[in-house]
Amino acid sequence: MMQRIVDNAIAISKESVKTFTYEALNNIVRLINGISAILLAILPGKASILEGLHGWELRPTFRGPRLPRWMGNGVSSFNQLVHELSVDSDTSSVEYSSDEDDGYSSPASPKSESSQISWASSAREHDNRRTLIGGSRSQSTQRPSHLHSPRKLPSLRDHFVRATDRRRGVIEDLHLATEICIEAAFDAVHKAAHFLLSPSEAFRIMSGWVFPQQSSTAHGHESVENVPTAVLGEHEPAPTERKTSFHPLNTDARTCQDVITELGYPYEAIHVVTDDGYILLLERIPRRDSRKAVYLQHGVLDSSMGWVCNGVVGSPAFAAFDQGYDVFLGNFRGLVSREHVDRNISSTQYWRYSINEHGTKDIPAMIEKIHEVKISELKLRYPDIDEENSDEQPYNLCAICHSLGGAGILMYVITRQIEQIPHRLARLILLSPAGFHDDSNLAFTVVEHLFLALAPILSKIVPAFYIPTRFFRMLLNKLARDFHNYPAVGGLVQTLMSYVVGGDSSNWIGVLGLPHYNMNDMPGVSFGVALHMAQMKRTGKFRMFDYGNSDTNLQVYGSPEPVDLGEYFDLIDIPVDLVAGKRDRVIRPSMVRKHYNLMHEAGVDVSYNEYEYAHLDFTFSHREELLAYVMSRLQLVKATPKQRLGCQVEGTKKVLHEHSD
């Protein structure tokens, strides 16, 4: 009787303490959110900053964008399915695209017919050749065949929700930690009271501590076994052991591979080694038999995730694949994990590089690997290809680059032309490219002066700018979740971050929430890259890195001054499309127009366009008009007569083979 009374008292006390702490923590959070709302109300300019957010929301939402115009009525059933999932919660109203042919060339998504053919051929070739040229590691996924079934929609919706909502914020962790501590404390109190009220039970437990063998014999041994299971719907359901990944800190550590494969697209990872030993990850959404390829290169503090983070409908990588392109996603050096052939390389040595290495080491290595892979695969499908005795490339490769990637690709093309080495590119589409930075805001000007003045000291103590420890990277990942959960706090942080970058209205909070900023890894910026950009801003020229003394420059460039790339724009022999953002305060439209004016004067086939975008809107927001424009520029690249002849020969062979069967 006494024990029951004590148990009830302890239980009531525990729940009372949990309720009190829970409400106290909630009130503190409400206070912080309220203060943030007050501060946000008095900050100037926040209306334009917050109004410019598109695609990402400060408050989590499942609403998706409208289908882009470039998809038209020929949108595939897979894209239609994902669109309906993200827009309409009523699964009974889902309508699938008809099979009628209205004369429009429909894009090939993972569930469309042309994509299925490419997928099947890719899978067959992949099975025959488990390892690609150069030792690349390829991975692919098997698409489910039941996506058209309306009865599967609720489970699919749950899957998509889980795929985009996998982590807790700091506040949720505090709630959980507080509850665990309270449970542990009252559990100890309960055991102590139980020992005092039941001496015989306490004596038995203590004897079990003294004589563990007898206790284990009395209670028997328990065994834990792996239970074989089978997944319903498999073609050959054999018992397998189900393995699940467990994230103890509940952070979102998805990779570009996870995003691509979750959406049903094929995936391949190719590891590329540069001349100076850096190991780069070149990711691919493969169409192995395609003679059209596109290479996408990210900007500073970014990764290939930027090209796929908007899902099927809003991502340039998926849009290009749906239009029949073999898609390659490049990643610059500069990850916290420090991938290098020298496993013992120091942090100072690893981060010792500038934009020069991006343009003359990273991009050449990745494009040469693309060329190697494409030639080897096309030779299997088109045996008549003889690249050595031909001036024409059997495929067309275009590049879409953002920010720092644009500066890197221009440096690559110009230096290749100077060295008289083929650059293998057919067209450049540059989204707010870096290179010229003399027209910038006061904040960047102050940083530039401080940076250049303190460079001799900082270069010795700060090799790069990144978050060095797993704990603080995990904290950033979780804070990004809290910024989404509490709109006023998120809006305040968004506004303050926008002030730091001169009023740019990009969704900085949404970008921080991307999984490539996770506790395991994240992109960083080397001191050399930052110094190189400061040098460009100071001189007002798009030039290579200045090593600080004429002797070193003379040894590297053959002249006391670094190479001014703007003076060599006349060497660019392929069309260039420049795109600027009117709201961009990181690289202003005037700086993109400076690229355009110099290229136009040099006789380059160059075009210029502007949109109402901020700097990160080019990759991290759903932009229907941008995707339409980029796809239209890619389609301007026509196949050469030899490429068309190869396709016709292949088509003739298929027809003859069908008739012979």
Side-chain angles (χ1 to χ4, degrees):
M1 184 65 180
M2 180 61 66
Q3 182 174 342
R4 181 177 299 177
I5 295 175
V6 171
D7 288 345
N8 290 337
I10 292 176
I12 293 172
S13 301
K14 180 177 68 175
E15 293 302 321
S16 300
V17 172
K18 287 168 65 175
T19 302
F20 175 79
T21 54
Y22 183 84
E23 290 300 325
L25 186 58
N26 276 344
N27 288 331
I28 294 173
V29 172
R30 293 189 190 102
L31 177 63
I32 295 174
N33 200 53
I35 295 175
S36 299
I38 295 174
L39 294 176
L40 188 60
I42 62 178
L43 287 177
K46 82 276 185 181
S48 60
I49 293 172
L50 299 179
E51 183 183 4
L53 299 181
H54 292 282
W56 294 85
E57 301 290 344
L58 291 178
R59 183 186 296 275
T61 178
F62 204 67
R63 182 174 299 276
R66 293 181 296 110
L67 290 174
R69 284 191 300 268
W70 60 266
M71 284 186 173
N73 296 326
V75 61
S76 68
S77 57
F78 181 86
N79 283 347
Q80 180 74 13
L81 170 66
V82 175
H83 176 66
E84 295 293 346
L85 282 173
S86 61
V87 175
D88 191 0
S89 60
D90 184 9
T91 58
S92 62
S93 64
V94 175
E95 296 180 1
Y96 299 103
S97 57
S98 65
D99 294 330
E100 297 179 0
D101 187 4
D102 58 357
Y104 180 79
S105 177
S106 63
S109 77
K111 288 301 292 180
S112 64
E113 181 179 358
S114 59
S115 178
Q116 289 176 356
I117 296 174
S118 176
W119 182 293
S121 62
S122 299
R124 287 193 298 269
E125 294 176 10
H126 176 63
D127 291 338
N128 294 334
R129 298 181 297 110
R130 306 293 285 187
T131 306
L132 286 175
I133 300 297
S136 60
R137 175 179 58 86
S138 60
Q139 301 178 15
S140 61
T141 57
Q142 184 177 2
R143 300 185 317 282
S145 59
H146 54 272
L147 287 179
H148 287 80
S149 174
R151 290 177 297 179
K152 296 293 183 181
L153 289 177
S155 61
L156 281 175
R157 169 176 286 276
D158 294 339
H159 168 72
F160 278 98
V161 172
R162 288 195 298 270
T164 56
D165 188 16
R166 291 185 173 183
R167 67 183 187 275
R168 294 187 302 266
V170 174
I171 304 302
E172 294 167 291
D173 278 348
L174 286 176
H175 280 299
L176 182 61
T178 302
E179 184 170 350
I180 291 174
C181 291
I182 293 173
E183 288 283 353
F186 276 92
D187 185 59
V189 172
H190 180 268
K191 288 181 178 179
H194 188 66
F195 284 172
L196 292 175
L197 296 175
S198 302
S200 59
E201 183 68 17
F203 177 77
R204 187 184 63 80
I205 294 176
M206 292 176 63
S207 64
W209 293 346
V210 177
F211 306 104
Q213 294 181 350
Q214 295 180 1
S215 177
S216 62
T217 302
H219 291 277
H221 298 280
E222 295 182 357
S223 61
V224 179
E225 298 180 355
N226 293 322
V227 179
T229 61
V231 180
L232 183 62
E234 292 182 347
H235 296 293
E236 296 179 0
T240 57
E241 182 179 341
R242 182 175 300 165
K243 297 180 180 179
T244 58
S245 57
F246 175 67
H247 302 282
L249 297 177
N250 201 249
T251 59
D252 191 352
R254 283 177 298 159
T255 62
C256 184
Q257 173 187 350
D258 296 327
V259 175
I260 293 172
T261 55
E262 282 176 0
L263 293 174
Y265 285 80
Y267 174 84
E268 183 178 308
I270 304 174
H271 293 282
V272 180
V273 180
T274 64
D275 293 341
D276 49 355
Y278 286 79
I279 301 176
L280 311 178
L281 178 60
L282 178 63
E283 299 178 277
R284 183 186 185 191
I285 310 177
R287 282 189 185 273
R288 306 185 197 283
D289 56 348
S290 176
R291 288 179 178 264
K292 303 185 299 180
V294 61
Y295 165 71
L296 297 99
Q297 184 56 60
H298 63 77
V300 68
L301 280 175
D302 195 5
S303 72
S304 55
M305 181 69 74
W307 302 111
V308 300
C309 63
N310 290 319
V312 173
V313 175
S315 299
F318 296 135
F321 182 87
D322 289 348
Q323 293 295 314
Y325 287 84
D326 193 355
V327 180
F328 292 87
L329 309 173
N331 287 280
F332 280 143
R333 66 183 70 190
L335 291 175
V336 176
S337 56
R338 300 209 303 262
E339 294 290 334
H340 197 275
V341 292
D342 181 5
R343 298 295 182 181
N344 299 320
I345 189 172
S346 66
S347 177
T348 303
Q349 291 174 324
Y350 177 85
W351 294 102
R352 190 176 295 161
Y353 63 86
S354 65
I355 303 176
N356 280 19
E357 281 67 33
H358 288 326
T360 63
K361 301 289 185 181
D362 295 351
I363 293 179
M366 288 186 283
I367 289 184
E368 286 304 312
K369 176 58 71 173
I370 293 173
H371 181 69
E372 179 184 345
V373 170
K374 288 302 297 179
I375 292 297
S376 65
E377 292 178 346
L378 289 176
K379 279 185 176 179
L380 292 176
R381 190 165 185 84
Y382 308 102
D384 297 334
I385 291 177
D386 186 8
E387 194 218 2
E388 295 181 357
N389 300 323
S390 175
D391 295 332
E392 290 185 0
Q393 198 168 267
Y395 67 97
N396 286 323
L397 176 62
C398 300
I400 304 174
C401 305
H402 176 239
S403 190
L404 183 64
I409 202 74
L410 287 174
M411 184 182 295
Y412 163 75
V413 172
I414 293 172
T415 54
R416 284 276 166 155
Q417 290 290 82
I418 293 175
E419 297 169 358
Q420 297 183 346
I421 302 175
H423 55 67
R424 311 196 186 283
L425 294 170
R427 193 178 195 94
L428 299 181
I429 302 174
L430 308 182
L431 312 176
S432 190
F436 294 109
H437 304 277
D438 43 299
D439 181 15
S440 60
N441 56 72
L442 179 62
F444 284 136
T445 303
V446 171
V447 171
E448 171 219 331
H449 287 288
L450 290 176
F451 202 83
L452 292 175
L454 300 175
I457 301 174
L458 291 177
S459 61
K460 298 178 180 179
I461 59 177
V462 183
F465 302 95
Y466 61 94
I467 301 176
T469 64
R470 286 171 55 87
F471 172 78
F472 287 107
R473 291 198 294 270
M474 176 267 293
L475 187 63
L476 175 66
N477 191 265
K478 289 181 173 294
L479 284 175
R481 173 68 178 179
D482 288 326
F483 295 153
H484 282 261
N485 287 341
Y486 301 97
V489 178
L492 178 63
V493 175
Q494 163 72 20
T495 304
L496 295 177
M497 292 183 68
S498 180
Y499 286 166
V500 172
V501 293
D504 188 89
S505 60
S506 302
N507 192 346
W508 304 98
I509 298 303
V511 172
L512 288 178
L514 286 177
H516 65 204
Y517 291 105
N518 59 72
M519 64 181 296
N520 297 320
D521 210 351
M522 70 170 290
V525 180
S526 74
F527 181 86
V529 169
L531 180 60
H532 196 170
M533 298 184 73
Q535 292 174 356
M536 291 178 179
K537 177 169 169 39
R538 170 67 62 88
T539 61
K541 298 179 179 180
F542 177 30
R543 66 179 195 172
M544 303 188 77
F545 184 74
D546 187 352
Y547 290 93
N549 62 79
S550 57
D551 293 337
T552 307
N553 287 337
L554 187 63
Q555 181 181 357
V556 176
Y557 306 118
S559 64
E561 292 293 325
V563 176
D564 186 352
L565 298 171
E567 295 179 355
Y568 291 89
F569 276 177
D570 60 318
L571 296 178
I572 301 176
D573 59 346
I574 54 177
V576 180
D577 301 302
L578 299 172
V579 183
K582 295 180 180 179
R583 294 173 175 263
D584 194 335
R585 297 296 179 266
V586 178
I587 300 176
R588 296 189 173 185
S590 60
M591 296 294 92
V592 182
R593 283 195 297 270
K594 192 171 183 178
H595 277 291
Y596 172 78
N597 293 332
L598 289 176
M599 290 183 185
H600 185 71
E601 293 172 1
V604 180
D605 181 6
V606 60
S607 68
Y608 177 81
N609 211 340
E610 285 186 1
Y611 293 98
E612 288 288 339
Y613 293 174
H615 189 65
L616 299 184
D617 292 343
F618 291 101
T619 53
F620 294 111
S621 293
H622 295 281
R623 295 295 185 176
E624 174 187 335
E625 60 273 21
L626 178 65
L627 283 180
Y629 176 76
V630 170
M631 292 300 107
S632 68
R633 306 315 286 183
L634 288 177
Q635 292 169 3
L636 293 177
V637 179
K638 303 300 182 182
T640 63
K642 186 174 181 179
Q643 292 173 1
R644 288 195 295 269
L645 179 61
C647 294
Q648 292 173 1
V649 170
E650 183 65 22
T652 303
K653 289 181 179 179
K654 286 183 179 179
V655 172
L656 293 175
H657 180 70
E658 291 175 358
H659 282 292
S660 63
D661 292 342

